[in-house]
């Protein structure tokens, strides 16, 4: 009597293990796509460009204030 019940129980456990393994493989079987380093960094200037910054001319300053 124990032999038949043990056989069925072992078979059900084995089937459950196979099912659990198939679910695990379906979920974790492959790695996610690789993320390129270029896609992880966003570059932008820390401050907006000031057009007046390059407008300074030292010669003009000398003419305007020293002559």
């Amino acid at each position: 009597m124990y032999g038949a019940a043990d056989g069925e129980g072992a078979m059900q456990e084995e089937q459950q293990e196979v099912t659990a393994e198939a679910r695990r493989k379906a979920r974790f079987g492959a790695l996610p796509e690789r993320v390129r380093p270029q896609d992880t960094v966003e570059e932008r200037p820390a401050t907006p460009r000031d057009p007046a910054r390059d407008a300074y001319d030292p010669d003009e300053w000398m003419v305007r204030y020293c002559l």
Side-chain angles (χ1 to χ4, degrees), residues 10-65:
M11 200 167 172
Q12 285 178 350
E13 281 184 29
E14 184 178 324
Q15 183 64 25
Q16 288 176 350
E17 287 177 10
V18 169
T19 305
E21 183 180 336
R23 284 191 309 232
R24 206 171 26 251
K25 185 167 183 156
R27 184 173 181 191
F28 302 110
L31 294 173
E33 291 185 32
R34 187 174 191 178
V35 178
R36 300 180 314 164
Q38 300 91 324
D39 296 337
T40 61
V41 177
E42 177 183 349
E43 293 183 10
R44 55 185 164 150
T47 57
R49 185 84 178 132
D50 183 14
R53 180 179 181 191
D54 296 327
Y56 176 75
D57 183 8
D59 293 332
E60 180 184 344
W61 182 85
M62 289 287 279
V63 169
R64 185 174 289 179
Y65 293 107

